[in-house]
Amino acid sequence: MQPSLFTAEPPPLPPWEIDDRKNRKIAKVVFPAGYDAALDYLVPNHLAGSLEPGMRVLVPLGKGNRPQAGYCIDIQPWGLAETNVKLKPVHALLDEQRLIGDKMLDLTRWIAAYYLCPVGQVLEAVLPAGVRSRAGTRLTTVLFAGIQPQTKAPLTAKQQHVLETLRQAPEPLTAQELQRAAKCSAVPIDALKRFGFIETKTIRRNNNQWQTDSRQHSALPPDADRYPLTAAQQQALSAIVSSIQKRQHETFLLHGVTGSGKTEVYIQAIHEVVRQQKQAIVLVPEISLTPQTVGRFQNRFPHVAVLHSHLTDAERHRQWSHIAAGQVQVVVGARSAVFAPLPRLGLIVIDEEHENSFKQDSSPRYHARDVACKRAELEQIPLVLGSATPSLETWTNSITLPQTEIPAGDKTQTSSAGNRSMTVMLSMPHRVKNLPMPQVEIVDLREEVRNRTTRGAIHRQLHQAIHETLIGKGQIILLLNRRGFSTQIQCPACGEAVKCPHCDISLTHHKTEEIALCHYCDYQIPAPAACPQCRFSGIRYTGFGTQKLELEIKARFPQAAVLRMDTDTMQGPGAHERALSQFRNGNVQILLGTQMIAKGLDFPNVTLVGVINADTALHLPDFRASERTFHLITQVAGRTGRGEKGGRVIIQTFSPDHPAILAAAKHDYERFVRQELPVRKLLGYPPFSQMIRIVVRGENETKTFTFAKMFAERLAVDRFPLRILGPAPAPFAKLRNFYRFHIHLHSPEGSRLREHVRSVSLPLKTPPDVQWIIDVDPVDMQ
């Protein structure tokens, strides 16, 4: 039944249903928007046997009783509800079976409570849009064998053959499909219908459901013994497999340098999971969902589902259906794959767990790492967090093997953030085959500028290294985490910088299209030849982006094949695959790009990595700026030296003495930790406190600041260890015509902090032209 069939006024309950209310049930229903709490609805008798928690329902909402889709999250006896309240009845079920199981419902409740958002919003994130809309399906009339034929007359041979074909079909068939399968006309089918041997039913089917799915049969992956492990890999694997066999929840931090073989440990651990007829989830950053990463799992397991942002709604619905039906052994995907509905989940793996892309940037603002930890706890299964550069939150929450030396009580302590149990660290400090870590050289750009010895982005030392690598038939990766051609357009006469009128952010020059573009709202203008303010014709284009770097490389090394990878060039379907295939096959000698080339790539012939400017994120107003810089340099440096030729890394920087850059140059994570943690502790930043960021925005700057100030004053009332910073203009003070102010809250008592923010924010009366969001454990300070 569709929403359009309902009038504004719900149909009255029949008298027998009214009299029977005390024996009836109440459905607790939540909505994607508009209501934070669950509303009670009466379950009619004709739906009582069908409705379950985790199903979507159509209910009347508001004074006008408009039909609205919602989620049933609980069913209670009438006696537990307010008996003096007149309840509206549930109109209809929108699902034939429950889409969300009990444990997933528990997980959504935890997410809503921890991240201070409505359960309905969480359920919308858990259930993909393609599943909700049933994309790629249609209502179809199918045939099935009747139970009580209306005649005892003998059937003809053809009729008997048609009936037997229908009975042996793995699923219901349409009349046309039965004709093809039985090689008959419509005549015997119509006769069987009249006699009652065949009945019809309308169901919803995938558009390509009759196609054979090769993944439906069961098969084990190849024997893991064919892939020998190092001693460190074997020790790590043994600890994980022991937890899998015990069927208990433990969290492991697999801390291995780049090239130490972490992926092989994941694969062999999953091999054990599959051997037990269970399934696994592998989360990777979206930018690491390369054919190389996915291919390693697809080559080792017959039934792998890949979930990423480029799937159509129909493709996502089809994958979701395969997963829910238990036809998939391994799900590999980005952040939202943590919600994959695997019925026999046995292991969750998060590769590159430090990546910021695991944090959702819209409500619900969950972090996939912490959600995975909670899901693993609910499922009583192991969780493996892998990284060469773990987040400081994960690192400080970990303890080192051997486990026999760990007091049992210590493994259940919680971190200062208050939501994760202690993590067992598994260390892999060396590369496979004992390959050495690449030699790292730091180029002080200040000397180059003072001596005026070079022009452009590539300085003498890096130029010479590229030249030598090309002569030696090696390949090169160059990282510049700035896209476009020139990153700033400024008039030297009046000093005016060309900015976005909607965002108050400098426009970036894109030479290919000859436009000046805002990377935040997509506002663009033709690249100005003169200053828009004073009309001076000598306007300057300064700064380097990947477009300018590409032109410089081609001019310096005209014989080399150069490929640029950034969001401007990698937009079409299969663009990543084609680009990396060219590089893998040796058709490209120099690969340059933004951070998408820094992770997930394993090319043994890469013998040189150049970091064009290591300072791009180092001086941002973000307490994690040093950590992010260390992560990025270490990860991109790890792309080289993976073959017998060895590797070399050259880092160009204006801050050669910065602790993060020096630690990255030494491949020394623990050195970075020793230097960074005392600073965090002194300032009271995570991981030594929980942090909540509130961003208030509005089109009127004065009204927006006034509300933000009132919000902060109300938050400051409570008496417990709490530090409040702000309100202050956000680093990006204006975005898309909205003025932005933010408030930071820090407390070592995470649970109390969240409850305090919830109690203050719920009754808050917000002006109609002001909006605000709450971000628990934020990673984006912009």
Side-chain angles (χ1 to χ4, degrees):
M1 192 174 291
Q2 300 300 318
S4 60
L5 298 179
F6 292 99
T7 60
E9 189 66 30
L13 286 174
W16 58 88
E17 293 210 358
I18 296 175
D19 295 339
D20 193 35
R21 280 189 175 186
K22 291 188 177 181
N23 298 322
R24 304 289 297 285
K25 295 185 182 298
I26 305 300
K28 296 282 186 179
V29 179
V30 296
F31 302 92
Y35 292 84
D36 290 339
L39 301 184
D40 289 346
Y41 285 89
L42 191 64
V43 180
N45 283 338
H46 69 281
L47 298 180
S50 304
L51 178 59
E52 298 180 78
M55 299 177 75
R56 292 177 303 152
V57 293
L58 194 67
V59 296
L61 185 64
K63 293 182 179 179
N65 289 318
R66 69 182 186 278
Q68 177 69 42
Y71 295 86
C72 174
I73 61 170
D74 193 15
I75 297 177
Q76 297 179 352
W78 172 268
L80 296 180
E82 293 284 343
T83 54
N84 60 338
V85 176
K86 182 180 179 181
L87 296 181
K88 300 175 183 178
V90 173
H91 275 325
L93 307 185
L94 297 180
D95 303 311
E96 296 177 358
Q97 57 187 11
R98 65 188 307 188
L99 301 178
I100 300 171
D102 290 335
K103 290 179 181 176
M104 189 61 72
L105 281 174
D106 290 340
L107 182 64
T108 61
R109 293 187 185 97
W110 177 85
I111 293 172
Y114 186 85
Y115 292 102
L116 307 181
C117 58
V119 176
Q121 283 188 354
V122 180
L123 288 165
E124 287 282 284
V126 168
L127 205 60
V131 176
R132 298 195 302 269
S133 65
R134 304 172 187 176
T137 68
R138 66 187 187 280
L139 290 174
T140 306
T141 300
V142 295
L143 312 177
F144 62 96
I147 301 176
Q148 294 180 337
Q150 298 173 2
T151 178
K152 295 183 180 180
L155 300 179
T156 66
K158 175 59 73 175
Q159 291 169 346
Q160 188 66 48
H161 171 68
V162 170
L163 186 59
E164 194 62 28
T165 301
L166 180 62
R167 285 172 174 163
Q168 293 181 2
E171 57 196 354
L173 306 179
T174 65
Q176 292 79 10
E177 290 167 348
L178 182 55
Q179 287 179 42
R180 288 196 298 269
K183 296 182 174 60
C184 70
S185 66
V187 175
I189 297 176
D190 291 340
L192 289 169
K193 286 182 184 178
R194 290 195 304 272
F195 297 153
F197 286 96
I198 290 180
E199 297 181 11
T200 61
K201 183 180 181 182
T202 299
I203 64 171
R204 186 171 289 276
R205 280 180 41 171
N206 291 333
N207 290 337
N208 61 347
Q209 185 165 348
W210 186 237
Q211 298 175 1
T212 301
D213 183 357
S214 61
R215 296 184 299 180
Q216 290 183 5
H217 59 82
S218 175
L220 286 174
D223 193 342
D225 293 339
R226 293 190 301 166
Y227 302 88
L229 302 178
T230 65
Q233 284 177 309
Q234 187 59 59
Q235 181 183 13
L237 178 64
S238 297
I240 298 169
V241 168
S242 174
S243 183
I244 293 169
Q245 292 172 342
K246 293 176 183 175
R247 303 188 179 186
Q248 66 183 24
H249 169 59
E250 283 186 284
T251 300
F252 298 95
L253 169 59
L254 187 58
H255 179 218
V257 298
T258 56
S260 60
K262 294 185 290 293
T263 304
E264 185 59 35
V265 174
Y266 305 153
I267 289 173
Q268 294 204 23
I270 295 171
H271 183 281
E272 174 63 23
V273 171
V274 173
R275 192 185 66 80
Q276 296 185 17
Q277 302 297 313
K278 291 185 176 293
Q279 301 153 305
I281 294 174
V282 180
L283 300 184
V284 298
E286 180 81 32
I287 58 176
S288 295
L289 268 177
T290 63
Q292 191 174 48
T293 302
V294 174
R296 292 194 63 178
F297 290 94
Q298 290 177 329
N299 292 338
R300 302 283 289 275
F301 298 95
H303 320 307
V304 176
V306 182
L307 302 178
H308 54 79
S309 61
H310 298 297
L311 293 177
T312 66
D313 281 350
E315 289 170 335
R316 190 173 292 276
H317 184 202
R318 187 159 53 251
Q319 290 279 42
W320 193 94
S321 299
H322 286 313
I323 294 167
Q327 299 168 355
V328 169
Q329 295 168 329
V330 185
V331 173
V332 181
R335 178 178 60 235
S336 61
V338 72
F339 302 121
L342 290 164
R344 303 183 306 280
L345 185 58
L347 176 68
I348 302 176
V349 173
I350 304 184
D351 191 31
E352 310 291 4
E353 67 84 28
H354 63 275
E355 268 293 317
N356 293 337
S357 62
F358 285 125
K359 184 74 156 69
Q360 174 93 345
D361 58 5
S362 60
S363 188
R365 291 175 172 80
Y366 66 89
H367 198 300
R369 178 191 60 215
D370 293 332
V371 172
C373 187
K374 186 63 180 180
R375 185 173 184 187
E377 177 188 320
L378 292 171
E379 300 276 0
Q380 282 300 294
I381 60 172
L383 168 67
V384 179
L385 308 174
S387 178
T389 55
S391 66
L392 291 182
E393 287 83 355
T394 297
W395 177 266
T396 56
N397 202 47
S398 62
I399 48 182
T400 309
L401 279 176
Q403 296 183 55
T404 53
E405 298 178 5
I406 303 169
D410 290 351
K411 294 177 68 174
T412 58
Q413 294 175 6
T414 57
S415 67
S416 57
N419 67 307
R420 293 165 62 194
S421 59
M422 293 300 288
T423 300
V424 176
M425 185 185 299
L426 308 172
S427 181
M428 299 198 304
H430 305 292
R431 285 185 159 184
V432 295
K433 300 180 182 178
N434 287 320
L435 293 173
M437 299 299 291
Q439 173 190 352
V440 180
E441 306 161 40
I442 298 177
V443 175
D444 186 350
L445 296 183
R446 299 173 302 179
E447 290 294 328
E448 300 281 349
V449 172
R450 281 195 291 262
N451 298 332
R452 298 182 179 179
T453 54
T454 188
R455 299 175 69 90
I458 304 297
H459 295 268
R460 290 176 303 165
Q461 196 168 333
L462 182 55
H463 177 100
Q464 184 62 28
I466 294 173
H467 178 71
E468 293 171 357
T469 302
L470 291 174
I471 291 176
K473 305 299 182 184
Q475 289 177 295
I476 301 147
I477 290 179
L478 300 176
L479 171 71
L480 177 58
N481 209 22
R482 286 285 183 272
R483 63 188 180 102
F485 191 83
S486 299
T487 55
Q488 188 172 29
I489 309 171
Q490 189 171 22
C491 176
C494 68
E496 186 74 14
V498 180
K499 293 185 175 182
C500 173
H502 310 297
C503 299
D504 196 29
I505 291 172
S506 295
L507 299 183
T508 299
H509 177 215
H510 286 249
K511 190 173 183 63
T512 306
E513 305 88 349
E514 280 300 339
I515 59 172
L517 176 69
C518 175
H519 287 170
Y520 292 88
C521 74
D522 291 332
Y523 169 83
Q524 66 181 50
I525 58 173
C531 175
Q533 188 73 20
C534 71
R535 309 311 302 170
F536 177 67
S537 60
I539 193 166
R540 291 180 180 173
Y541 288 73
T542 59
F544 275 88
T546 49
Q547 283 187 359
K548 185 182 286 188
L549 177 62
E550 180 184 21
L551 286 183
E552 181 177 339
I553 291 293
K554 288 181 175 178
R556 287 174 179 259
F557 307 100
Q559 304 304 317
V562 180
L563 179 67
R564 171 164 59 96
M565 288 186 68
D566 54 29
T567 54
D568 297 320
T569 60
M570 299 289 111
Q571 292 185 349
H576 286 80
E577 290 85 343
R578 290 191 297 272
L580 295 176
S581 178
Q582 291 182 60
F583 193 61
R584 183 184 304 107
N585 296 335
N587 299 328
V588 171
Q589 285 77 53
I590 302 177
L591 176 67
L592 66 91
T594 55
Q595 62 176 339
M596 66 173 60
I597 66 170
K599 308 171 184 68
L601 305 181
D602 187 354
F603 299 117
N605 197 40
V606 173
T607 56
L608 175 65
V609 163
V611 180
I612 304 303
N613 186 350
D615 310 328
T616 52
L618 189 57
H619 303 298
L620 294 176
D622 185 339
F623 71 92
R624 289 192 179 93
S626 294
E627 184 178 4
R628 287 176 179 166
T629 298
F630 175 81
H631 287 170
L632 189 59
I633 295 175
T634 303
Q635 291 290 337
V636 74
R639 299 314 103 201
T640 188
R642 291 174 173 246
E644 299 299 330
K645 294 182 179 181
R648 182 182 180 189
V649 181
I650 295 180
I651 302 172
Q652 298 184 161
T653 175
F654 287 99
S655 307
D657 300 322
H658 194 283
I661 291 176
L662 291 174
K666 296 293 184 182
H667 309 285
D668 194 342
Y669 175 81
E670 293 192 26
R671 172 178 173 173
F672 169 74
V673 170
R674 289 193 300 271
Q675 294 168 334
E676 182 69 11
L677 281 181
V679 177
R680 298 275 188 94
K681 188 171 185 177
L682 178 66
L683 298 176
Y685 279 107
F688 298 101
S689 69
Q690 177 154 66
M691 179 177 178
I692 293 179
R693 182 179 187 235
I694 299 173
V695 180
V696 181
R697 69 173 196 169
E699 295 185 356
N700 184 294
E701 185 175 12
T702 302
K703 286 184 179 179
T704 305
F705 176 73
T706 300
F707 176 80
K709 185 178 179 182
M710 180 271 292
F711 202 159
E713 289 171 349
R714 293 196 180 184
L715 288 166
V717 171
D718 204 11
R719 301 293 181 188
F720 71 99
L722 172 66
R723 183 168 60 124
I724 300 179
L725 302 178
F732 291 159
K734 185 182 180 184
L735 278 179
R736 302 176 185 90
N737 287 322
F738 286 93
Y739 293 94
R740 306 167 73 245
F741 297 89
H742 62 167
I743 305 166
H744 290 186
L745 298 98
H746 302 259
S747 175
E749 300 181 21
S751 298
R752 196 170 178 185
L753 174 63
R754 294 192 301 275
E755 183 54 40
H756 175 56
V757 173
R758 180 190 297 277
S759 65
V760 170
S761 61
L762 277 178
L764 205 61
K765 292 183 178 179
T766 307
D769 52 353
V770 173
Q771 303 168 357
W772 52 270
I773 62 100
I774 296 174
D775 192 0
V776 178
D777 300 335
V779 299
D780 181 7
M781 298 296 142
Q782 303 306 310

